[in-house]
Amino acid sequence: MARRGEAARRILLLLLGVIVIAGIIVAIGVGEMVAIMSGITLPWLIALTLLQLGTLYLTSTIWYLLLREKSAAITQSSVFLITMAGTFIESITPSVKLGGEAMKIYLMKKKSALSYQEVTGVAIASKIFYLVPFLLISLITIVAALFILDLPAVVYSAFAGLLICCCLVYLLLFRTREREQVRETGRDQSIIGRLRTRTEAARSFLSRSSGMAAEIVRDPTKSATLYLLAFIVWAFYPVKVYLVAYLLGFQVSPIVIIIATFTAYLVSMIPLLPGGLVTFEGTMALVLVSGGMALPDAAAVAIMTRCITFWIPLLLSAAVTLFFIQEKRSEAVFTA
């Protein structure tokens, strides 16, 4: 019952985001927006979608390279499909790029035959390799924007919040001394005692997993390769936005595109609506307007970018997620 309630809440939040975006389009002018966005033909739409899928494939490669050393059973195609399923959960969950990690861990554990401890360690390491470059790029972007554009205050707040969260997670996972055994609380059967036991067990699990992640991150050769791969992944993000603007007929400075792209992704990580709906489109449009674009043009670029990077992948990843759900049901029937 609780799961159904949570699913309903996610759907309602997703619908709320759609309604807000639809309201913005109506306020600007439906005809004007459609006329602008019709500049992207179907072949280009397919090409940009394939570029987005290629970016997701590179992202899944980080997971694959980490898992490959621990399990010969894992394949890159299965890791990519699992990443797509995780992307679906991430897209319908208000989260800081963490919504799909539980599903990824579950499916990766199943496909690789590794323990939850090992897969969680890989998940922590992959998130470090993915987010640290983003933080560095965001810092450079914000500093550059100080001399070029007037950014909304929420951008600075989002960066500070993400940085604080990352620092707290680092302190929690890498600075807490691991306790070898969970404290004996067998005699304490109170609610507080049981809660303390579970909390300590969870902390111990995360501590051991973070220890495995720390060992991976400390390997200089492996870290350099994976950080470089993550930088390449992030470098493709403004390329897609630039192509959208160019195909729609707008000449926008690449620097403005870069700033608009990374500030939009930064603000969209604030866990308000699923997939950063509204916050992404709003931030990108505001930055592009600050860079000299008209509001309808900026909104068209932001919305079309989201069609390619969010909505179309959402539909594809939903199909992959349904495949995994059906696979699980088939296994349950077979083992019954």
Side-chain angles (χ1 to χ4, degrees):
M1 195 71 178
R3 289 183 180 180
R4 290 182 180 179
E6 179 64 19
R9 188 181 71 87
R10 291 176 180 179
I11 293 172
L12 286 174
L13 286 173
L14 195 64
L15 288 175
L16 176 61
V18 172
I19 291 170
V20 172
I21 293 173
I24 293 172
I25 293 175
V26 171
I28 294 175
V30 177
E32 186 174 2
M33 292 292 290
V34 170
I36 294 172
M37 290 190 288
S38 63
I40 296 184
T41 60
L42 181 60
W44 272 113
L45 185 64
I46 294 173
L48 289 169
T49 300
L50 291 175
L51 180 59
Q52 174 64 16
L53 293 177
T55 305
L56 291 174
Y57 186 81
L58 285 177
T59 302
S60 71
T61 302
I62 297 176
W63 267 91
Y64 173 68
L65 292 176
L66 291 171
L67 287 169
R68 185 182 61 180
E69 297 185 359
K70 297 178 176 292
S71 172
I74 200 74
T75 63
Q76 185 146 10
S77 59
S78 63
V79 173
F80 174 63
L81 290 176
I82 292 170
T83 302
M84 287 288 289
T87 298
F88 174 74
I89 301 300
E90 200 171 82
S91 298
I92 63 173
T93 306
S95 60
V96 189
K97 291 288 182 183
L98 297 175
E101 295 308 303
M103 172 174 276
K104 289 181 188 177
I105 290 171
Y106 169 75
L107 293 174
M108 297 287 187
K109 188 257 183 191
K110 181 179 174 183
K111 295 292 183 181
S112 65
L114 297 173
S115 67
Y116 276 118
Q117 194 87 69
E118 292 172 307
V119 179
T120 302
V122 169
I124 294 171
S126 69
K127 195 55 63 178
I128 292 170
F129 288 124
Y130 188 68
L131 283 180
V132 168
F134 176 73
L135 276 172
L136 180 59
I137 293 171
S138 296
L139 176 60
I140 295 171
T141 299
I142 290 174
V143 172
L146 291 174
F147 302 95
I148 302 173
L149 303 171
D150 292 325
L151 294 179
V154 68
V155 173
Y156 303 102
S157 301
F159 178 78
L162 183 60
L163 184 61
I164 291 171
C165 286
C166 289
C167 290
L168 290 175
V169 170
Y170 175 83
L171 291 173
L172 175 66
L173 296 179
F174 292 93
R175 288 300 185 185
T176 35
R177 301 179 67 181
E178 181 180 350
R179 299 171 190 173
E180 295 296 331
Q181 296 179 342
V182 178
R183 187 179 303 166
E184 290 293 335
T185 55
R187 296 180 181 178
D188 188 356
Q189 296 299 322
S190 66
I191 294 177
I192 295 177
R194 290 196 297 270
L195 181 61
R196 185 184 296 115
T197 300
R198 293 175 183 175
T199 302
E200 181 62 22
R203 191 213 61 81
S204 181
F205 177 86
L206 286 174
S207 182
R208 289 193 297 271
S209 298
S210 65
M212 296 177 183
E215 292 178 7
I216 298 172
V217 174
R218 291 192 189 107
D219 185 329
T221 303
K222 186 184 302 180
S223 294
T225 301
L226 294 174
Y227 278 130
L228 177 60
L229 183 57
F231 268 111
I232 293 172
V233 169
W234 283 112
F236 273 111
Y237 281 67
V239 170
K240 286 172 280 190
V241 180
Y242 181 83
L243 287 173
V244 168
Y246 176 78
L247 292 171
L248 291 177
F250 306 126
Q251 296 294 327
V252 188
S253 167
I255 296 177
V256 173
I257 290 288
I258 291 171
I259 294 172
T261 301
F262 288 111
T263 52
Y265 276 104
L266 183 63
V267 175
S268 71
M269 289 187 181
I270 299 174
L272 295 177
L273 291 175
L277 282 174
V278 182
T279 54
F280 179 96
E281 292 84 354
T283 303
M284 177 170 283
L286 285 175
V287 174
L288 290 175
V289 168
S290 181
M293 290 188 73
L295 179 58
D297 300 343
V301 171
I303 292 171
M304 184 56 71
T305 296
R306 286 293 265 176
C307 286
I308 294 161
T309 61
F310 180 81
W311 290 109
I312 296 177
L314 177 65
L315 296 175
L316 296 175
S317 61
V320 175
T321 304
L322 289 174
F323 165 76
F324 281 118
I325 292 173
Q326 186 60 40
E327 184 182 59
K328 183 179 179 181
R329 287 177 178 173
S330 299
E331 289 177 356
V333 171
F334 180 76
T335 56

